[in-house]
Structure formats: structure tokens, C-alpha cells
Amino acid sequence: MDLQPAKETAEDIRGLTPISKFLGLIACFLLFCMMMVTFVDVVGRYLFSSPLPAAYELVMLMMPTLIFCALPLSVLREGHVTVDLLDSFVPASLAKLQAVLINIFCAASMALITWRLGVRSMDQYTFEEVTDVMIIPLWPVSASMTVLSAVATIAFLANVWQSATRRS
Amino acid sequence: ETVLTYSSWIPWTHPVNLAVYIPWMEAVEEASEGRIKFNRLPKAVASPPATYDAIRTGQADVSFSVHGYARKQFASYLFAELPMLGDSAETTSIALQRTHDKFMADKDLYKGVHLVGMLMHGPGQVNHTKKIIQTPADMEGQKMRTGGPIPTAITEAWGGVSIQQPSSKSYEILSSGIADGIMFPFESVTSFNLTDIVPYTTTLPGGWYSSSHFLLMNQAAYDKLPDEDKAIIDKFSGEAFAKLAGQGWDKINAKGLEDILANGNTVEEASPELIAAVEELKKGFLEEYYAAAAEDGIDGKAVMEYFNAEVAKLDAEKASN
Amino acid sequence: MTEALIGLAALLILAFMRIPIAFVMAAIGFIGMAYVNNPIAALYNVGQTTFDAALNYELSVVPLFVLMGNFVARAQLAAQLYNASNAFLGHRKGGLAMATVVACGGFSAICGSSLATAATMSKVAMPSMRRYGYADTLATGSIAAGGTLGILIPPSVLLVIYGILTQQSIGKLFAAGILPGLIGVLFYLFAVRYVTWRRPQDGPAGERMSWPERFRTLSSVWGVLLLFVIVMGGIYGGVFSPTEAAGIGAFGAFVFALVRGALTWKVFIEIMEESVATTAMLFTVLIGALLFANFINLTDFPQALVRIASLFEDTPWMVIVAILVIYILLGCVFESMSMILLTVPIFFPLVDHLGYDPIWFGIVCVVVTEISLITPPVGLNVFVLRGVLPDVTTGTIFKGVTPFWVADIFRLAVIVLVPWVSLWLAGYVS
Ligand code: NA
Ligand code: NA
């Protein structure tokens, strides 16, 4: 369930919106595939005594890409859970500064996650980490997570810009 | 005084912790006269496959991992998963440690961590919900939950269906009938609560498969120890660890078998026909292992011969005691 | 101990400054780990925890149950449920609100998420309650509260998470949630009764329908029943695992929406986008909560709690009461998923140690965190309603849910005092 976006979001920033829309569509596609994989696996197991080999690993591998492809979209919609109890006490002049600082905080956290996923990916490459059943290397998975969370970081920076230039 | 954080991805009350890792920690604590203490973290710092990395990067100081989690990095150890290696976890664990010392120790396979020692979990068995498996044909169409390549290959070679789900799902998939059977050592049948669900067990001399684990320590945490404390850790490393751990596994596997028999379950030894069929399959497994070990510059054939000879020697020593 | 308390305090302060809770938990978790352990290890833990949380088979139920709920919402099933409950209850005082509660209960049986339940029902039930002149307080209160049933009545994303955290059978947990969920429906009906008894003008009676008409509406809810039977029957009949049930349920709901002609390409894409955006939001919270939990794990806070609790070994119920109070307080600020993730790893060993049933405790946890969805200041169901109905103030909705909140406290008392309610059905699951 999506929480209602704030009045103005960074959705209209040039270039970023189409990119996040496109990534969102990839996430949709993966979610649909995940559903089909489960269905085909269960049906195959009963009707033809042949489950999809390693269906659980397939589903597992789809998860990170699904989540991180959808991340920029949810960042631009400002759809994160917040405590807005004090909103009515914050004067308008301060609210703008607050919005800027919050988005900087989020951008910094996201940048940290991006950096560490990148390191994780390099380690997985060095140590040849692979999945259990299909022996698929894991580093491309974390590498794509790195790229996608970099896009999410940029989306937060776009929110910083947007809230700094927003007229209240 | 040094406090080492120990991260366990199995619950602290798990028989393996009670019989293997906690006794090891207590032995070290006692021998160090209280200078080394283990802080047992309430919750694991990483998922099981990521534990090696978590120790390497200092998220915790000590933990154990499974060679099978890193099939590329530890390809040369995968012979330890083959069928018919030995009936005692103690002797196979010591033999594995000696094999490591002789063939793998100089290959720098444990990059970035300090290896304490390794073990084998003892013979894995075929456990079934409805019938006893006594011929390859009995496996036809059976849905077996398998972990690792060997159980999967055996199941599929005989026309069974391999269900690949995480071991934590074992109870769920067996009790609901999604799987008809599972390959597990006796200990795991009881600790995963399957005693009532899989009343039929077929044992194979030397086991249907096995699995090898190793205890590892953060390199910096080890290097930082004063020499006298390093000596304590070393004293409980290598063969000493293998022996302690193997004995622990033998104890809990025996307890598992005892509970299974007390429950009235059927436990039968494999028929000669079945043994011959596994032996036939093992030839193929060995060829694959030789090829994989060769990539790491290790003579798989020599490894296997040395390991088998050590097991035979240790078994004989044990019998004469 | 001190580090953990400082961390918790910082968490609350920063959350009140409106920083998204997910990132507050992540940042404090990271800083805390850097302080308690060492900065390098903390840095590595950030990458590892994020990767592990995302690459997780069992958590695949989250997007799939969310997707199922969204398909079901678009397939007009909610409207039919509402019409049917309305036909039986609408002519009473507060009858439309009662119908809302019952329809929410029915919808919960095929939807794994409370937010989706609240959002869907607000679109379905709000217009007719307005038409009949219901007070906004009662109308929105019944929807926001009814929506909370979504996470207790199976399928439930939260029960799955609890099951994963504590290694309990998800099938048992699902079975255990059914009776407490029905009790929830019953108590909410009493709450509606109470409101219309005190202020009859808040919930005027609607039209009475004839019995044949009533049964006609009933015949249209077979779709809901069918989906429920497929998902639950599949789990208990051993056709598939609870993890797979989410995928099968989503597929069933997809086929249903397709057959009903509810799926244009545009609607389909909307449903998918909504589901993945929600998934991303939930996983951000999940990763944040895990990082924070990793920090707490490294402090001696959990051990200290166990030490304190063991002082009450003779009166373990005091520990349970204390836990419940902590949950209700935390629930004011936290969202239910973060709360479960944050607290279960700490409280579970404690409760287990005192000899309580883990399945029972799971139901207690979910019921008590469910209350958090409707308590101020952060009540997600309330926010969802405000999003759908921009002309109703948050204050009005919070006022409206108060009687339901009281009903929840009564239900919680029943579930805590009578474990049988949760354990009876679970006992039939092998
Ligand atoms: Na539900
Ligand atoms: Na709340």
C-alpha cells in the first residue's frame, strides 16, 4: 500500500522520473515472474512429478532486484514511513530547512548503503561466492543492487533540491 | 582479559551447540584460566552462508561455517560429502583434518581468517515418511528433500524428485506431504522434530552422504592475543578440535538413533543391491571431484586415498582401545 | 546497556523530527555498531545485512501477499463482501459500520496486509456511510480499526515474519490467528453498538432488505471463499508450503481479476507498480530494523533484560504485562513490522525461557502490534484513510478509532488470559 505522497514531490525532475518509472516496470516484471515461478513449480510437482529445478533459488535471486528496482520510485514519491505529529508546530520558514535536512540525512544513509553494497560485491567476486543449488555467482546480484541504490541516492538528492527550491 | 564474540546461526540450545561448540568454548575458557571469555551473541550477525565474510570482516570474532556454502572456494573439500566415508564422526573428522594439513594447508584457501579446525557431521541417512527404501526402484517418483549435490544426484539417478528447500523448512514440507523423505543424519531427524514424521530410515555403511564444517576466527582477533593465549587457542585447534567436535557429533547422532528407536521407528541397513548401486554412483562423483580438485592444483585421487587410509587406521585404533 | 538506551532515545528523537523511520534505524544501528564493535566491522555489516535481507526466499511472501491483496481489491471482491454484510446488518443502528467491520474481517481472510485492507475498504464502505449521514468519526473509525484485522486473520505477512524470526511453524501460526481474529470482529461490533447507543445520530439505520435479497448478495461472495479455501486448504492439505501459498494466492487472485474483466492493461500495471512500491517501502524498514537489531545484539541489553526478567521467575505474568505495556508504548511511534523485527529477537528468548507457548506469544505480539496501526501519533491505517479521504482530519479519525482501541485492549486481555483461544485450532495442525 502506498502512502499518499506529499503535495509536491521530485517526480517532475527531468530524466529521473522516466528512469525510475522504467526501473519500476522491471520490478513489476520480476514480481510477476516470481508469482509464475511458484505456480509452475507447484503445478509441475503434482501433475508432472517434475518441479522447477531450484525454484526457491530463482525466487530468492529475483528478490533483491525487485526491491531495489522499485526503490527510486518509492523515494521520488516520498512514500516512507515518518512521524509527522509535530508538523503543525513547525513554522513554515523552518519546515523548508527541515525538509532539506531530512532528505540530506536520507541521501547520506542511502549513499552509505550504496558504497557498502559495492564493497560486498567486490568481496563476493574475490571469494567466488555462489548460490547453493545452481552455483550462480552472487557478485552480479550485489553489483546491480549497488547501481540501483546509487539511483535511489540520486533520487534523494533530487528531493533535497526540490525541497530547497520549493515555494511554500 | 580478552572477550571474543561468538556468533551462532543455530540456536544456543541446539544439540550441536551443546555437544560441540559450547564445550569447545568452555575448554578454552577453562584452560586460559579466565583470560579468554566468549560473549555468546543472542542472535547471529549474518546469514549462514555470509558467516565466513562476517568473521573475516570482524563483525564477530568466532563462528562456524560449512564448506558446502562456498562450493568454489572450498571445491577441494567436497570429497567429504561423498557416500560411504565412515560411520564415526570422530574418525572421519580427524582424518579430514589430517587430509587438510597434508594437502590443503599451504593453499591459502581460508583467506583473511584464522582456521581453528574442521569436522564431519557423521553419516547421513535416508529417512522416509511412508516406506523403507531398499532398492533403487523404491526411490522412483519419491519426493526427497535434499541439500547439497550428492543427495540430489542419488535421488535423481534413481528416478526420484529432488525438492530443494532450505533445511529450516524440513518440518513444514515433510509434515504437509510436499516431500516424502529427507536425507539427514540421525541428530538432525530429532533436532528438526521429524522423529514421528519419518518413521522409516535406511542406513548405509559409511553413510549416504556427509557434510564438513569448520570453526573460524577473525584474523586480527587471533593476532591480537598475547602469545600464551594464542597457545591456548592452538591447543584446541586442528586435530584436537576435530576430535572434540567429532566425538560431540557421534554422541548426538547416537542419541538421535536411540530416540528414533525408542519411538518405534524402523531402521534398516541397506540391502547389498542398494550398496552396489551407490558404489556405482560414487564412481561418477569421484570423477567430478578429481576434476574440481585439479583446478585448485590438488591431486584429488591422492587426497581420497590418504583420507580413506586415515579413516581405516583411526577406526582400527579406536576398535583396539 | 547504556549504549542501547542512548540508541533508543536517539531513535525516538530523530523519528519525531520526521526523518523516515527506516533511515533513522539504519543510521543509529550503524553508528551504534561502530561504537560498540568497531567502525570497519560496522561498515561491512551494513553491506551484508542489506544483501542478506534482500536475498531471502522466505521473505518472498511479502511482495506476493501484497500483490494478492491488490489483485483482490481490484476484482470487486471487497465491494461484494460489503454488499453482503450490508444486506444482513445495514438496517440496524450503526449497521453500515458493522457491515464494514464484518467485510473487513472477510477481506482479511484473503489479504495479507492491513494497509491494503484499510485502503480497499475505505473506497468501498465510505461512500455509503456518508450517504446515510454517518458521523465521520464512526465511519472512518470502523474502517481504520477493521483494517487492522488484515494482519491477524490469515494469510498474514506479520505472522510469517514472526515465524521466520522464531522458527515456528507458519501453518500453526496461521491456524492460531483465526479465532482471535473472529473475536476481534465480535468486539468491534460491540464497539459500534456502544457508539450508537451513546450517540444514535452517529449511525442511523439503513434500509432493510428482504431475505431473498440477502441471500442473493451472499451468493456473490463465493469468490472470496474460493480464494480462502485455495490458500488455506492448500497449506493444511499439504499441497504447498505457506511460502508457496503466497505465490499461489497471488496467481489465483490474478486469474480471478482477469476472469472478472477487472484487468485492463493500465489497471494491471497500476496494481503491479503499487505492489512493488509497497515492497520497496517495507524492505527499507526491514533493513533499517535489522541494522538496529544488530547493534542491540552487540550490547548487553538483551542479557540485561533476561536478568531483570529472571527476578520475576515466580510471577512470570508480570513480565508479560511489562512486555505488553512496552509494546503499546512503542506502538505509538513505530509501525507494526518494525516493532516485530525490533523486539521479537529480544523478547522471544525471554518469554521462551519463562515457559510460555511460542505460538501463543506470536498471536499476542501480532494483536498488540496491530493496535499500533490505530494509535496516535503514527497510526498507519489512519494515515492511509487520510490519504484516501483528504477532507477528514487525522484528529477526527483518531477520535473515531478510540472505542475500537478500547475493544482491542479487551481482546488483548482475552487472548493473554485464555491461551486456549489461540492454541485450540493450532493444535489440529500437525
Ligand atoms: Na489476512
Ligand atoms: Na501507532
Side-chain angles (χ1 to χ4, degrees):
Chain A
M1 197 52 245
D2 223 275
L3 297 180
Q4 207 61 11
K7 284 150 285 174
E8 273 174 84
T9 66
E11 277 209 68
D12 48 347
I13 287 197
R14 202 175 302 151
L16 204 49
T17 309
I19 291 175
S20 57
K21 271 263 173 202
F22 173 70
L23 292 176
L25 284 179
I26 297 180
C28 295
F29 174 73
L30 285 170
L31 180 56
F32 193 77
C33 288
M34 227 157 91
M35 180 181 91
M36 293 312 294
V37 165
T38 315
F39 179 74
V40 171
D41 178 43
V42 171
V43 169
R45 190 162 70 214
Y46 287 95
L47 298 188
F48 315 107
S49 244
S50 68
L52 268 189
Y56 101 85
E57 219 172 79
L58 271 178
V59 168
M60 192 177 88
L61 285 168
M62 286 177 195
M63 286 288 290
T65 330
L66 190 170
I67 298 161
F68 279 76
C69 274
L71 202 53
L73 204 61
S74 81
V75 171
L76 290 182
R77 290 182 180 180
E78 298 192 351
H80 291 285
V81 185
T82 55
V83 183
D84 59 357
L85 179 73
L86 301 179
D87 274 13
S88 47
F89 300 101
V90 179
S93 52
L94 214 59
K96 189 168 165 176
L97 180 66
Q98 185 193 20
V100 172
L101 290 179
I102 289 169
N103 278 309
I104 290 178
F105 186 100
C106 294
S109 314
M110 206 64 230
L112 174 74
I113 289 174
T114 308
W115 171 36
R116 297 321 299 180
L117 280 172
V119 172
R120 185 86 188 90
S121 185
M122 290 193 294
D123 285 350
Q124 285 177 335
Y125 180 80
T126 313
F127 286 86
E128 300 183 87
E129 286 184 32
V130 290
T131 63
D132 234 23
V133 183
M134 296 186 287
I135 322 284
I136 294 173
L138 283 175
W139 69 265
V141 180
S142 42
S144 62
M145 287 167 80
T146 312
V147 173
L148 293 166
S149 49
V151 178
T153 311
I154 295 170
F156 270 124
L157 291 173
N159 282 354
V160 172
W161 175 252
Q162 193 76 11
S163 43
T165 56
R166 185 182 292 167
R167 253 166 281 162
S168 44
Chain B
E1 183 186 280
T2 311
V3 177
L4 297 171
T5 50
Y6 187 104
S7 166
S8 174
W9 44 269
I10 52 175
W12 282 112
T13 49
H14 194 286
V16 171
N17 266 333
L18 297 177
V20 176
Y21 296 107
I22 292 177
W24 180 81
M25 281 184 254
E26 284 171 349
V28 170
E29 282 173 342
E30 202 185 303
S32 73
E33 288 160 339
R35 288 193 312 276
I36 300 177
K37 282 219 172 67
F38 289 94
N39 172 18
R40 300 180 208 162
L41 295 177
K43 157 180 119 54
V45 296
S47 67
T51 298
Y52 182 97
D53 203 59
I55 299 301
R56 184 181 67 82
T57 56
Q59 296 168 48
D61 296 322
V62 189
S63 187
F64 82 95
S65 185
V66 177
H67 287 118
Y69 287 155
R71 303 207 157 272
K72 283 275 167 65
Q73 185 182 0
F74 296 123
S76 53
Y77 292 88
L78 300 187
F79 72 90
E81 297 186 7
L82 296 179
M84 303 190 280
L85 293 181
D87 284 321
S88 151
E90 182 188 347
T91 57
T92 50
S93 293
I94 297 172
L96 175 69
Q97 183 70 49
R98 288 182 185 169
T99 309
H100 160 85
D101 294 342
K102 186 172 163 73
F103 294 91
M104 290 88 162
D106 58 344
K107 297 279 188 238
D108 193 25
L109 292 172
Y110 299 81
K111 281 189 203 67
V113 301
H114 175 78
L115 173 70
V116 175
M118 54 193 70
L119 65 84
M120 282 173 64
H121 77 10
Q125 322 293 357
V126 167
N127 309 284
H128 201 278
T129 52
K130 293 180 213 75
K131 64 175 187 187
I132 195 98
I133 303 283
Q134 273 303 9
T135 63
D138 288 341
M139 193 64 100
E140 185 94 40
Q142 298 305 304
K143 299 191 287 281
M144 300 291 293
R145 185 269 160 188
T146 57
I150 301 299
T152 306
I154 295 176
T155 303
E156 286 173 355
W158 296 343
V161 179
S162 146
I163 305 276
Q164 306 197 318
Q165 291 262 332
S167 65
S168 57
K169 306 247 106 184
S170 305
Y171 182 88
E172 200 175 292
I173 59 174
L174 284 162
S175 63
S176 63
I178 291 168
D180 304 313
I182 190 162
M183 297 213 199
F184 255 168
F186 286 127
E187 183 282 324
S188 306
V189 171
T190 50
S191 71
F192 280 91
N193 236 337
L194 305 173
T195 318
D196 286 329
I197 301 175
V198 286
Y200 302 100
T201 299
T202 314
T203 63
L204 189 80
W208 286 84
Y209 77 100
S210 189
S211 175
S212 64
H213 309 172
F214 57 101
L215 186 65
L216 69 166
M217 189 168 167
N218 176 266
Q219 188 65 54
Y222 177 79
D223 292 341
K224 260 199 314 237
L225 290 174
D227 283 345
E228 51 174 349
D229 290 348
K230 267 194 197 112
I232 303 282
I233 298 284
D234 293 346
K235 189 177 155 212
F236 293 96
S237 296
E239 254 190 65
F241 171 77
K243 186 171 172 143
L244 181 150
Q247 282 175 342
W249 268 99
D250 277 340
K251 204 171 76 194
I252 52 184
N253 278 330
K255 175 79 172 60
L257 175 60
E258 195 183 300
D259 292 347
I260 286 166
L261 290 173
N263 195 49
N265 291 13
T266 310
V267 179
E268 278 184 19
E269 189 161 299
S271 64
E273 183 192 356
L274 210 49
I275 296 174
V278 176
E279 264 164 358
E280 194 55 37
L281 288 174
K282 190 177 174 181
K283 284 179 195 155
F285 300 154
L286 279 171
E287 288 308 321
E288 276 174 41
Y289 168 67
Y290 296 157
E295 279 187 38
D296 281 351
I298 287 170
D299 179 356
K301 208 165 182 164
V303 164
M304 207 61 253
E305 275 163 14
Y306 178 78
F307 175 86
N308 288 336
E310 286 302 309
V311 172
K313 197 165 88 190
L314 286 158
D315 275 340
E317 281 169 23
K318 213 177 149 196
S320 66
N321 282 336
Chain C
M1 183 79 182
T2 329
E3 306 96 331
L5 290 176
I6 292 172
L8 275 169
L11 187 78
L12 289 178
I13 292 168
L14 290 177
F16 268 95
M17 292 166 81
R18 211 187 195 285
I19 303 174
I21 289 176
F23 294 102
V24 172
M25 290 192 292
I28 298 196
F30 165 64
I31 294 166
M33 278 188 286
Y35 178 75
V36 180
N37 191 358
N38 72 68
I40 304 293
L43 282 173
Y44 277 106
N45 191 274
V46 171
Q48 185 162 66
T49 303
T50 309
F51 184 80
D52 284 358
L55 196 85
N56 190 315
Y57 169 66
E58 293 180 90
L59 287 174
S60 66
V61 294
V62 174
L64 288 170
F65 272 143
V66 169
L67 179 64
M68 176 183 175
N70 286 339
F71 274 133
V72 163
R74 290 298 181 105
Q76 306 302 318
L77 285 174
Q80 282 163 355
L81 270 172
Y82 183 67
N83 288 341
S85 347
N86 204 0
F88 284 83
L89 294 165
H91 62 285
R92 294 165 181 270
K93 270 210 176 314
L96 293 171
M98 292 181 172
T100 305
V101 167
V102 171
C104 278
F107 193 70
S108 302
I110 44 173
C111 178
S113 133
S114 282
L115 300 186
T117 308
T120 309
M121 291 312 296
S122 64
K123 285 174 206 150
V124 173
M126 198 62 194
S128 58
M129 285 201 271
R130 285 221 158 138
R131 205 163 52 238
Y132 281 90
Y134 270 58
D136 277 349
T137 43
L138 178 60
T140 53
S142 61
I143 300 171
T148 66
L149 296 167
I151 47 172
L152 182 61
I153 298 178
S156 154
V157 170
L158 220 51
L159 282 175
V160 172
I161 303 264
Y162 178 87
I164 294 172
L165 286 175
T166 61
Q167 315 228 307
Q168 297 302 313
S169 149
I170 289 159
K172 275 194 180 203
L173 284 166
F174 276 8
I178 293 175
L179 264 190
L182 292 178
I183 292 177
V185 172
L186 198 68
F187 281 21
Y188 284 166
L189 292 180
F190 287 140
V192 175
R193 266 268 127 114
Y194 173 82
V195 172
T196 49
W197 172 61
R198 293 305 302 262
R199 299 172 52 89
Q201 70 275 22
D202 276 8
E207 284 155 46
R208 180 184 288 273
M209 284 198 205
S210 67
W211 281 99
E213 275 177 303
R214 291 182 183 181
F215 283 108
R216 204 163 324 124
T217 59
L218 205 56
S219 66
S220 61
V221 299
W222 63 270
V224 176
L225 267 174
L226 182 69
L227 266 179
F228 182 74
V229 167
I230 290 176
V231 171
M232 291 300 129
I235 294 175
Y236 297 117
V239 184
F240 39 71
S241 70
T243 324
E244 292 169 331
I248 301 292
F251 183 80
F254 166 67
V255 170
F256 215 88
L258 203 64
V259 170
R260 294 224 157 174
L263 284 188
T264 61
W265 180 249
K266 184 167 163 282
V267 169
F268 174 70
I269 293 293
E270 269 171 29
I271 291 174
M272 298 304 288
E273 273 192 343
E274 206 171 294
S275 308
V276 296
T278 307
T279 304
M281 188 263 275
L282 289 174
F283 270 83
T284 328
V285 171
L286 177 83
I287 291 164
L290 288 173
L291 287 170
F292 190 79
N294 285 349
F295 154 51
I296 297 292
N297 185 39
L298 290 170
T299 68
D300 63 346
F301 189 67
Q303 290 96 327
L305 275 186
V306 173
R307 271 200 304 278
I308 295 171
S310 55
L311 298 177
F312 298 97
E313 209 106 38
D314 301 328
T315 48
W317 59 271
M318 285 181 67
V319 178
I320 298 291
V321 171
I323 289 177
L324 292 179
V325 171
I326 292 172
Y327 268 126
I328 290 172
L329 291 179
L330 281 179
C332 291
V333 187
F334 283 102
E335 165 278 337
S336 47
M337 173 122 139
S338 348
M339 238 160 71
I340 290 279
L341 287 165
L342 209 57
T343 57
V344 165
I346 299 174
F347 288 152
F348 181 74
L350 201 71
V351 172
D352 201 34
H353 173 79
L354 293 173
Y356 285 101
D357 189 285
I359 300 285
W360 167 82
F361 185 64
I363 301 302
V364 170
C365 277
V366 170
V367 170
V368 74
T369 53
E370 182 181 22
I371 297 176
S372 75
L373 292 168
I374 53 171
T375 52
V378 184
L380 281 196
N381 273 12
V382 174
F383 292 173
V384 166
L385 269 183
R386 198 191 52 176
V388 182
L389 311 162
D391 56 324
V392 184
T393 66
T394 315
T396 307
I397 309 176
F398 275 127
K399 194 164 154 231
V401 295
T402 311
F404 297 96
W405 185 85
V406 175
D408 272 341
I409 298 294
F410 276 110
R411 170 164 52 134
L412 183 60
V414 169
I415 289 164
V416 170
L417 295 173
V418 192
W420 175 87
V421 169
S422 322
L423 298 177
W424 175 59
L425 270 180
Y428 287 99
V429 181
S430 61

